[in-house]
Amino acid sequence: MRSILFWLWLGAMVGVSCSERPKRTLAPGVSKELADDRAKWIKSIHYDLHFTIPKDQNEVVLGQATLSFKIKTPKDLILDFTEGKQHITKWIVNGETEEVYEENEHLFIPSDQLKSGYNEIEIDFVAGAEALNRTEDYMYTLFVPNKASSAFPCFDQPNLKSTFSLSLDYPSGWSSMANAKVKEETVHGDQVKVVFEKTEAISTYLFAFVVGDFDKRVLSNGTFSMEVMHREPIDSMLETNLDEILRLHVQSLAWLESYTGIAYPFHKFGVSLIPGFQFGGMEHPGVIDYKASLLMLESSATAEAERRRTALIAHETAHMWFGNYVTMTWFDDVWMKEVFASFMADKIVAQLYPEVNDDLVFLYDHYPSAYAVDRTAGTVPIRQPLANLNQAANMYSNIIYDKAPIMMRQLEQRVGERVLQSALTDYLDSFSYSNADWEDLMTILQRVSGEDLSAFNQAWVYQTGMPFFELKEVRSEAVNEFDIIQHDPKGEGRVWPQYSDIMFSDEVGFVKENLTLDKIHTVLPINATVEDSRMILLNAGGQGYGVFTHGLGYIKGEFLFNRARVDLSRYEDDLTRGAAYINLHEYLLQEGFHPQLYFYFLQNYLREEKNEMIIAYLLSNLEQVYDQFFNGSMRADNVAQIESTLLAKLDAVEDVQVKTSLFNAYIRMASSPEAVDRMKQFWESEGLPDGIMLSSRQFESLALNIALKGTAEDESYIDWQIDRMDNEDRIKRLQFIQPAVSHDSAVRMSFFEGLKKPANRKNEPWVISALYYLHHPIRNEASVAMIAPSLQLLEELQQTGDIFFTKRWLDQTLYGYNSATAVQTVRDFIETAPLDVHTRNKLLQSSDLLFRSEKNLSEYLGE
């Protein structure tokens, strides 16, 4: 295979000139101004693309493109290609070899080379590697949000939808999948050429293909067929997983077709299961990419893992309508495709799991994650302005994935389920295979519902943060009522119109009343029943959104509940109990708390709890308090107690899946010498709690935790674990993480220094896992020196990482620290670094618990 130098030389020889042209004022990326202009006059776009993919991942990928389109009146044409003209080896415009002009990641064609009507550009190029995720035996493209232009010259914006014809050359023995069906496949020696059919009109970020050493097969239930590519070893769970993956996709498709009244809008359906995929899934039509570990579950998988697999499949399938069939006009509305995918997935999961309390599922799926961002100084509105697509990755956060579905459920309750469904069907019909924005949908929804939704829209979609709710009793000879006050934390008098409830209890039982909280003061008359109420609980149904302060107090380390000691575990209703735990936790994070006492209460709640989802939530809160709000000596004082609590709960419960959640929490939290010895026995499959059957991933986790928490000699457990593994992808992952667990600080620092090189961050999930061990609370004191250089990489991470990587890097880097040194390091960086607003917000979000825990711990210790 010829080297890149040859192709650069060839480009100079075939007439690709370096002649100067008058400079344009083109910014890097795709500005909204450029996108708006192109969308007005460029039509009927088609890409005919061919890529030659060598077996050696160090060799370049060569591409050929024929780009055709129609225009009314010729003017200078701008194409996006971040690699520049040095990667162009042939450039023919309307049959004539022309000069290539570039500026700031763009190629432009002078108007005198174009004509009214049909135009065609033929381009040979060396594909940029940024979005070609390559390993030694497979490659997959990932172009969201605007990385198609790093691979080939194109109009890289969502509202210039195009059709694509693709062909690939790659080594024999490999398989491939793309947006469309295979039209023709031929073998020439050690090379395979595959030609795919033409796609429907899609945006460039949705164009995709996967190629490599995969097992490819067609799954069918007799009436529906889907292609699947995977790299999983043949074991007892393979066929079970594949059958379930087919079933869940079929059921999701059927539900969506029924809800929308629109048949699946693409000609082909396929999925690829990719080891170490950056996201949970990516919704390319015809070739949905999934992180393999989330779909290929082991026999020990919890009910929660199974439900989350269902939700992920439903989410990506819903994107076929919401995002692919109708696509946002601009990435300021990327949240639209995500909110409807999540919202539809919630409905699908509720139907497929009728035995599960779907209100509780919705509560735990969305509220803690939304609060985790909305409570911070870096929170953002659901819809954010976006000047340039090179900043589009910053639109992604838990605000769009979790707060937006909460908003949507409030909106559905306001207008009615049938009205919302009718409006969404009208929206899909009106903009089929095209683009729309949020205000287009709001126009339809206001027409169909007959309601003025402007105040609701402004409050939920365009403003940041969340309210605080306080309940006061107003009693006099003339007045006997409750005043529910909605406080704006910014003091600007903002209101979030929403539905919630209030629950009263007396010696007879509980009474609930629904509330419409659409103003600062909501007055509720006090009736005779309430006169004798023993407990009053705001937001008992978990529907309201905000910090609910009434009934929850903190006085000198004592939790109070309506002047009585907190005992939330006594609520018999799962939803009420689950909502009360979330309300309590959010209130305490906002107001401060006694960490030792709260840790004690959480363990009591865990001992009493039977619901799997609530147990998982309590475990996460226990870990958060233990890791984030305890210092080293406090953890040492409490480790025996939490180990005993978890083991006792393991023995007490019978449900195998609940046992698995508790067992996994024990592996993460236990660290005493006795616990390390016990984990060694577990790794040998000895002394396991009744009902626990270890999966290969649990063995890996055990080996890593033994190495981390044991002695330097215990690092051998990782080597021994590798020796017993046969999944090459998992072996490589464990080998990558291994230095981050080392007891030798020089080894860990060398590993961290290596992460400064983009080439060592290519497998982003591995990097995030390694950071967890590198910055583990056990290593805080030694690793705090890595915080400053980690923050100094942020600008580069924003440019080289995928959409979630920077935030995950920050989360893992800062999690578990609560020292004044760590706080000062972050504050100094915020004050002195020239951060753009998006990066600053991400840093403020990720450092929120650091700031809160340092302040809380200082107050607790009396410092």
Side-chain angles (χ1 to χ4, degrees), residues 278-292:
Q278 293 95 317
F279 316 153
M282 179 59 205
E283 67 271 15
H284 312 118
V287 54
I288 303 175
D289 293 337
Y290 289 107
K291 180 183 288 188

Side-chain angles (χ1 to χ4, degrees), residues 252-264:
S252 296
L253 286 164
W255 189 94
L256 286 155
E257 289 181 335
S258 175
Y259 183 90
T260 64
I262 299 169
Y264 174 64

